[in-house]
Each structure stands twice: as structure tokens, then as C-alpha cells.
Amino acid sequence: MKKLSIVDIANSLNISKTTVSFILNGRAREKRISDEMIERVLKYVNEVGYKPNTLAKSLRTGKSHTIGLLVQDISNHFFAAIARQIEDRAYKNGYKIIYSSTDNDTRKTKELIALFRDQHVDGYIIVPPLGIEADIEDLIADGFPVVLFDRYLPGVETDHVLVDNLFSTYNATRLLIDKGYEHIAFISYESTQTQMEHRKQGYRKAIEESKLKPNILEVDFYKEEKLIIEEIRSFILNNKNIDAVLFGNNYLGTCGLKVFRSSGIKIPDDIALISFDDLEVFELYTPEITAIAQPVEAIAEEVITILLNRLNNVPKDDSKQQVTLATELKIRKSTR
Amino acid sequence: MKKLSIVDIANSLNISKTTVSFILNGRAREKRISDEMIERVLKYVNEVGYKPNTLAKSLRTGKSHTIGLLVQDISNHFFAAIARQIEDRAYKNGYKIIYSSTDNDTRKTKELIALFRDQHVDGYIIVPPLGIEADIEDLIADGFPVVLFDRYLPGVETDHVLVDNLFSTYNATRLLIDKGYEHIAFISYESTQTQMEHRKQGYRKAIEESKLKPNILEVDFYKEEKLIIEEIRSFILNNKNIDAVLFGNNYLGTCGLKVFRSSGIKIPDDIALISFDDLEVFELYTPEITAIAQPVEAIAEEVITILLNRLNNVPKDDSKQQVTLATELKIRKSTR
DNA sequence: ATGAAAGCGCTAACAT
DNA sequence: ATGTTAGCGCTTTCAT
């Protein structure tokens, strides 16, 4: 059973392929094609199970109905959960997703963007690493819709959806302060990415407002887990006065859990703990871990809605859509 | 800056596009094109940053260098972790991934396969729901490489990579029996999918060998979490004699944890617990949960290797590649 | 050793 | 109201 083309359909019906094309693309009315013709074509097409060749269509129209999704790491639950939602909405709207993990690696990301362009991707959803500014600007200059999330690129005007990182850590730190903790550490990455910067600023703001002393550990993102754990461990062990720790993301939070558990540090009696991002493990841990939950569904929803609107040229106006969502501090048992 | 085509290159160089095409596709030698010509073209192409249009190439060659990946749910860690590895290897070998989650929904999967075919995907990696046999057979009949994993479709000859489900649960159940548990329940899905069937059989075999009584709860896969939790809870509460439970997968395992925790059931004192699949939460739970760990990396590695070989027509022989990997029973503290 | 030209399947401007 | 035809950018056969 060879694959049918539009010409085969036209020949079988003794009409021109133009007519078939118009009918198939819903432009029959506009072209004033007779109802019976429409009926006949549709019926036949359906009967023989004809499917237009999307590749040929894309080549002709320049649209691929494909969205490129670049997250930091698809195996991290935060990104996987968002990818899942985006995928759902995209497929429902006739878009396929091609995706990849950037590993926060600028070079890899550059290559990936080139690959996606090459593939005639219609729109981009990107969790941008640093150093990718120019590539994003090129994309935009060439008229591609791109929406960033989780972080943004200062100086690059794009659509993006973020959470209120600064307030989130400010709020969490305040909780700790209000509970009477006085030596609160913040553990994060050596990173100037906006989300991490803002989380640090939120922490600092609360600490300084209360005339406490900030104590920050920034680990190397690219180190392997074992080494990160050791770094955290020696930080904790060398700063005996620490009575509470705020972790900058879910990964660091679980690393912290591993450190405390293996070092026999009791939560919250010895040290209190709050982590950015919520995870099932935080809910199920003993004691349950207080966490800053990002609104995963809302983020995904905003991202894909903005992109789909751009793809359909709505809104007509050119102003960038930049939304900031609130997080929820889930207060559990990891603070006294 | 308009995108350059092969014709532009040819014109600028005052040669024919055929020559350019041959050189670009490494067929210059074979066509005995002069070294200086090759040099000149390559240099120019590089200079102006020309990239061939993959769409046009695909239309012409029928190859898209795209792999379709259909997992049950990309937000489940087991699938996300595998997807991640597959993605890495695929990109390294010049293949893009387009993916989607099937939700174990036959209709959705059928549509997705149709969409992928339509998109001229070169090869398929599928976690098949039931009822998809005919579609898979069509794919194979039409010459597409397809490799299944996690489960297979009895009666359909394909490449696949599985784990030794039967032995895994047999082994885990034996552990429980050896420790003296006598009322061991197995909680799984109402499902005739091979992986679930085999897990059940392994459990049964161990139980029957020891003249114990099997006690199985099978919940509805499609129910929402809350209801599944309630179902598990009432099962446990109505079977007071149960002293150990084996869960059929990671999702069910965490549901079990939630039930025990909220019902005040102590692990392992009141009930022992083992779960299929390993998860960070099992490692960090108090007590640490004994689990059957699947070799995630090995699975991904096998899957993509088999597919890539097929795509490159290696091995030439037609016999199906079917591999079964061993799991590892990580004995921790959830049994006495 | 290099080039002309057909054709992959589709859309759309331009006839009629 | 329907058809003719010229591409989209590429590969590849056939000619020279």
C-alpha cells in the first residue's frame, strides 16, 4: 500500500489538485467550491485514509507546527512536570514538541537552537543558560516567538514567565527569623542566573532587615552529586552555629537531607530546613519538610498560552508578555 | 539576512548545485570532483554559514533523522530518567527526538503514532499500551524500526528490552518469606500488561512454593491518586492479618507510604514494605524502603543502541533483538 | 569531472 | 467554480 498523494486523490476524482488542496485546507467556501464537490472529496479522502505529507506542506508553507522545548534537565521533576503539561496543550493544539536538555551548557544550547532552527521549528520555549543572549536575540529578530521560563536574560526583551523568587525566599527566611532562628544559612549555586540571584537577594533582605548575619554557601552546579554533598557537609560542620538552612532548589534540598541524615543532624532540633521547590520526598520525609512550592501547572499554562497566542498572532500588539507567579510556602515540620 | 539555499551557493561560485550537493554529502571522491573544487566549496559554505534545509532534504530522501519516543508519562521519574539518556545518545548521533506521553491510552497512542508517521519519523521507541498491536505491526510491516521497552506485546514480534519482572518479585517475596512474614499482600494494577502480569506471577510463585495464601489488590490505573490511596487504605484496614506488602511500581509504592503514614501504621513493625522501582524518596524515607531497582541506564542504553543499529542497518540479519535485564533488590530497612 | 533537469508532495498566485 | 503552473530546497539520474 503505497502512500497516496494529493495528485492521486485529484486523479481518482478527475479534478485538479488545487481543488483538493483548497477543500482540505478549509478554503473551499472562500473559493466558492460547490457543496457537492466538497462532500465528494471529503468522503473519498476519508475512505482511502489519505493524509497530507506534512513535510511537503512545511517545506511549502515554512511552518512546521513544531515547538522546540529546551529545559535544563528533563529528568528533574520540576522540568518534567512542566514539560508534561506543555506537551499536552501543544498536542491538543496541533503542535508537536521536539525537546532536549541543555544541562545549562551554553555551547550545547547554541547547537540545539541551531538544530531547531534548521528543523524549522515554529516557536521556542527555553530555560536559558547564561551566554545565550545573542542567540535568543537572533531568534527574536528573525521573528520567532520565544518564551523563557524559570529565569530570564537581563537586557534581552522576551516573553517570560517567572515566579516571585525574591519574595519567596524573603518570606521563607522571615518565617525562620520569626521562629527565633538566628544563624540562618543559604545554600545555593555559584550562579548569576536571575532566579538564583533573586533567591539570594530575598534571603539577604530578610536577614539584613533583622540585623542578622548572612551566611551563604554557593556550590558549583557542574560538580557531581557526591562532591556537592561533601561540600555541604563540611560547610555545615565548620559552621557549628548554624541553626537553620534555606536551600536554593530541590536538588540542593535533597542533597541537604542526605547530609543531615548521614551526619546524624536532627531536623528541626539541631537544624531547621526549608527548601525551594516542593517534591514528594519533602512531603513524605520525617519530619515533613517545609518547602517553597512553585505553581507548576500555572507556569506551564502561562508559557504555552503565550506561545500559542504568538503563533496565532494574538495579541497583535508587540509588547512582551512577562508574568510573575506567586509561590506557596508549604509550612510543615522541619522548623520548630 | 535571508536564508541561503544550495542554489545561492552554486551561483556565487559559478558552478552547479549538483556539484555543491555532492561535495556536501561527501560523495565528491566517488564523483571524482577535483580537490581544489572541494576545498573552494567547503571554504565558502563555511564562510557564509550555509546550512542545508533539512525539511527539503527529508522530503527528498524520505529520512527525517527523527526518532519518535512514546512513554507512558514523562513526568514519572522512571520514564523521565530513561528519556534523558535516550535523548543524549540520540542527539549525539544526529537524531532529534519528538516525544509524547501516552497515558496508557490506546486511542491517544494510535493518534500519536499516526502523527509520528505523518511526520516521517525514522524509528520508534514505544512503551506500548494494550490494544496497540495492529498499529505496531503496521509500522514493522512498513519497514520502520520499532523497539519497545518496559513491556511487550505478546504475539507481536519486535525488538524489546525488559527487566526480569518475574524473578524480581519472586526474589523480593522470598526475602519477605525468609524473614518470617506469612501474610504478604501484593498491590498492583488491574492490568494484563506483561510487566504487571509477570510481577504478579513472581509473587504468586514464591507464595505458592511456601504454601502461603496469596492476597492481591488490583487498583484501577486510571483512577486519580486520592481514590487509589483510599482503595489501598481500605484494603489494608480490612485485611488486618497482612504483615507485609509488595507494591507493583513506584507510584503505587509512594501511595502505600502515604496510606501507612496517615493511618499510623509503622514500617516495618506493623507492616513490612517493598516497592518495585527505586526512587530517591525510598532512600530518604524513614525507615529506608527496600526496593527493586531497575537498571535505568542500561535499559536506555540497550534501547537506543538497538534502534540506532536498525537505523544503520546493523545487524543485517532480521532476527529480533530481545533483551532482559536484571534488577537489583536494594535491601534497606522496611523489613525487619 | 561537472551540469541540466526531473521530481519529492504540497500551496497559492494566476488563469479561465 | 475549478484548473494550470510555478516554485519551496534538495538529491540523483542521466548527459556531456
Side-chain angles (χ1 to χ4, degrees):
Chain A
M1 174 190 91
K2 198 187 145 295
K3 229 191 159 225
L4 295 167
S5 83
I6 197 169
V7 178
D8 298 326
I9 304 294
N11 288 343
S12 305
L13 258 29
N14 278 315
I15 56 176
S16 125
K17 59 176 179 165
T18 309
T19 310
V20 181
S21 175
F22 281 146
I23 293 175
L24 257 27
N25 291 304
R27 304 185 49 191
R29 277 266 98 78
E30 161 192 343
K31 293 290 173 180
R32 283 175 299 187
I33 291 171
S34 69
D35 284 0
E36 46 190 337
M37 177 93 286
I38 298 178
E39 168 93 358
R40 197 155 70 94
V41 171
L42 256 23
K43 182 153 168 282
Y44 184 72
V45 159
N46 200 30
E47 238 170 67
V48 299
Y50 163 74
K51 297 265 187 214
N53 179 325
T54 34
L55 239 37
K57 196 167 182 157
S58 297
L59 179 60
R60 183 60 228 237
T61 59
K63 303 266 145 255
S64 65
H65 277 256
T66 301
I67 292 170
L69 175 60
L70 248 26
V71 295
Q72 182 169 311
D73 176 6
I74 195 71
S75 70
N76 177 310
H77 184 260
F78 172 67
F79 295 115
I82 288 182
R84 179 64 158 89
Q85 303 270 122
I86 288 178
E87 170 203 316
D88 279 357
R89 281 277 314 270
Y91 273 88
K92 271 188 194 115
N93 284 274
Y95 281 89
K96 284 134 275 174
I97 299 279
I98 85 174
Y99 81 101
S100 189
S101 303
T102 66
D103 283 327
N104 234 346
D105 177 330
T106 309
R107 235 172 63 110
K108 186 176 177 195
T109 309
K110 277 174 188 286
E111 282 169 18
L112 255 9
I113 290 178
L115 201 65
F116 282 9
R117 288 193 72 137
D118 199 71
Q119 186 72 356
H120 290 218
V121 154
D122 292 338
Y124 295 77
I125 297 173
I126 303 179
V127 175
L130 290 169
I132 206 71
E133 291 77 2
D135 307 69
I136 304 281
E137 273 170 341
D138 286 351
L139 243 25
I140 295 172
D142 291 338
F144 293 103
V146 4
V147 6
L148 310 182
F149 76 93
D150 190 54
R151 62 197 78 160
Y152 65 95
L153 268 7
V156 185
E157 271 295 300
T158 56
D159 295 333
H160 65 224
V161 1
L162 311 171
V163 297
D164 192 345
N165 287 296
L166 196 152
F167 176 76
S168 301
T169 46
Y170 171 80
N171 191 36
T173 308
R174 283 242 36 109
L175 175 76
L176 258 10
I177 295 170
D178 291 347
K179 295 234 180 204
Y181 293 99
E182 299 187 321
H183 301 282
I184 304 169
F186 178 58
I187 297 184
S188 178
Y189 291 120
E190 286 165 17
S191 165
T192 57
Q193 290 183 339
T194 59
Q195 84 285 19
M196 287 306 171
E197 278 297 330
H198 293 168
R199 289 175 198 178
K200 183 162 64 179
Q201 286 167 22
Y203 159 80
R204 278 212 130 93
K205 180 166 173 236
I207 292 291
E208 283 161 9
E209 271 180 17
S210 303
K211 313 267 187 261
L212 294 176
K213 282 238 301 285
N215 189 1
I216 298 178
L217 169 66
E218 294 184 322
V219 305
D220 180 357
F221 175 85
Y222 303 97
K223 260 191 198 167
E224 55 176 314
E225 176 165 321
K226 230 189 247 172
L227 296 176
I228 290 183
I229 288 182
E230 282 324 308
E231 201 171 338
I232 295 175
R233 188 193 311 282
S234 58
F235 174 75
I236 297 290
L237 264 26
N238 291 329
N239 289 266
K240 293 285 181 198
N241 63 344
I242 291 175
D243 54 11
V245 182
L246 175 60
F247 286 92
N249 76 355
N250 60 13
Y251 180 70
L252 261 8
T254 54
C255 285
L257 251 29
K258 289 175 190 174
V259 168
F260 290 179
R261 146 180 298 248
S262 59
S263 302
I265 295 169
K266 299 268 168 297
I267 306 170
D269 300 334
D270 298 334
I271 298 185
L273 186 164
I274 297 183
S275 179
F276 211 101
D277 290 333
D278 198 14
L279 240 39
E280 200 157 48
V281 63
F282 293 152
E283 216 177 313
L284 290 172
Y285 200 79
T286 306
E288 297 162 32
I289 304 297
T290 296
I292 298 165
Q294 297 199 55
V296 168
E297 275 155 49
I299 293 172
E301 190 65 25
E302 289 285 353
V303 166
I304 187 68
T305 301
I306 293 173
L307 189 66
L308 254 14
N309 282 343
R310 290 282 183 215
L311 255 11
N312 301 322
N313 287 315
V314 181
K316 290 286 185 216
D317 85 296
D318 208 37
S319 65
K320 296 302 175 193
Q321 307 278 315
Q322 310 193 323
V323 350
T324 301
L325 269 10
T327 59
E328 185 190 355
L329 181 58
K330 302 231 179 190
I331 301 177
R332 297 200 269 243
K333 307 282 175 55
S334 60
T335 63
R336 71 169 120 71
Chain B
M1 175 189 90
K2 198 186 146 293
K3 230 193 158 228
L4 295 168
S5 84
I6 197 169
V7 179
D8 299 325
I9 304 294
N11 287 344
S12 305
L13 259 27
N14 278 315
I15 56 177
S16 123
K17 59 176 179 166
T18 310
T19 309
V20 180
S21 175
F22 282 148
I23 293 175
L24 258 27
N25 290 305
R27 301 184 53 192
R29 277 265 98 77
E30 161 192 345
K31 293 290 175 182
R32 283 177 298 188
I33 292 172
S34 68
D35 283 1
E36 48 188 337
M37 178 93 284
I38 298 180
E39 167 95 354
R40 197 155 71 94
V41 171
L42 255 24
K43 182 156 169 281
Y44 185 72
V45 158
N46 200 31
E47 235 171 70
V48 298
Y50 163 73
K51 298 264 188 215
N53 179 325
T54 34
L55 239 38
K57 197 165 181 158
S58 298
L59 179 61
R60 183 59 228 240
T61 60
K63 302 267 146 257
S64 64
H65 277 255
T66 301
I67 293 170
L69 174 61
L70 249 26
V71 294
Q72 182 169 309
D73 176 7
I74 195 72
S75 71
N76 176 309
H77 184 259
F78 172 67
F79 295 115
I82 289 181
R84 180 62 158 89
Q85 304 269 123
I86 288 179
E87 171 203 316
D88 278 357
R89 281 279 313 270
Y91 273 88
K92 271 190 194 112
N93 284 273
Y95 281 90
K96 286 134 269 172
I97 299 277
I98 84 173
Y99 80 101
S100 188
S101 304
T102 66
D103 284 327
N104 235 346
D105 178 330
T106 309
R107 234 174 62 111
K108 186 176 176 194
T109 308
K110 277 174 188 287
E111 282 170 17
L112 255 8
I113 290 178
L115 202 63
F116 281 9
R117 288 194 71 135
D118 200 71
Q119 186 72 356
H120 290 218
V121 154
D122 293 337
Y124 296 77
I125 297 173
I126 303 179
V127 175
L130 290 168
I132 206 71
E133 291 78 1
D135 306 70
I136 303 282
E137 273 169 341
D138 286 351
L139 242 25
I140 295 171
D142 291 339
F144 292 104
V146 3
V147 6
L148 309 182
F149 75 93
D150 192 54
R151 60 197 81 160
Y152 65 96
L153 268 5
V156 184
E157 272 295 300
T158 55
D159 295 332
H160 64 225
V161 1
L162 310 172
V163 296
D164 192 345
N165 288 296
L166 196 152
F167 176 77
S168 301
T169 47
Y170 171 80
N171 190 36
T173 309
R174 283 243 35 111
L175 175 76
L176 258 10
I177 294 170
D178 291 345
K179 296 233 181 204
Y181 292 99
E182 298 188 321
H183 301 282
I184 304 168
F186 179 58
I187 297 184
S188 177
Y189 290 122
E190 287 165 18
S191 165
T192 57
Q193 290 183 339
T194 58
Q195 83 285 19
M196 286 306 170
E197 278 296 331
H198 293 168
R199 290 174 197 178
K200 183 161 64 180
Q201 286 167 22
Y203 160 81
R204 278 212 130 93
K205 181 165 173 238
I207 292 290
E208 283 161 9
E209 271 181 15
S210 304
K211 316 267 184 259
L212 295 175
K213 283 239 300 284
N215 189 1
I216 298 177
L217 169 66
E218 293 183 323
V219 305
D220 180 356
F221 175 86
Y222 304 97
K223 259 190 195 165
E224 54 176 314
E225 174 165 323
K226 231 190 244 173
L227 296 176
I228 290 183
I229 288 182
E230 282 324 308
E231 201 172 337
I232 294 175
R233 190 193 310 281
S234 58
F235 173 75
I236 297 290
L237 265 25
N238 290 330
N239 289 264
K240 292 286 183 199
N241 63 345
I242 290 174
D243 54 11
V245 183
L246 175 60
F247 287 92
N249 76 355
N250 59 13
Y251 180 68
L252 260 9
T254 53
C255 285
L257 251 28
K258 290 176 189 173
V259 168
F260 290 0
R261 146 180 298 249
S262 59
S263 302
I265 295 170
K266 298 271 171 291
I267 305 171
D269 301 335
D270 297 336
I271 298 186
L273 185 164
I274 297 183
S275 179
F276 210 101
D277 291 333
D278 197 14
L279 238 42
E280 198 157 48
V281 62
F282 293 152
E283 214 177 314
L284 290 173
Y285 200 79
T286 306
E288 296 161 32
I289 304 297
T290 296
I292 298 166
Q294 297 200 55
V296 168
E297 274 155 50
I299 294 172
E301 190 65 25
E302 289 284 353
V303 166
I304 188 68
T305 301
I306 293 173
L307 189 66
L308 253 15
N309 281 343
R310 289 282 182 217
L311 255 10
N312 301 322
N313 286 314
V314 181
K316 288 287 184 216
D317 84 298
D318 209 37
S319 65
K320 296 302 175 193
Q321 307 278 318
Q322 310 194 323
V323 351
T324 301
L325 269 11
T327 59
E328 184 188 354
L329 181 59
K330 302 231 178 189
I331 301 178
R332 297 201 268 243
K333 308 281 175 56
S334 60
T335 63
R336 72 166 119 74

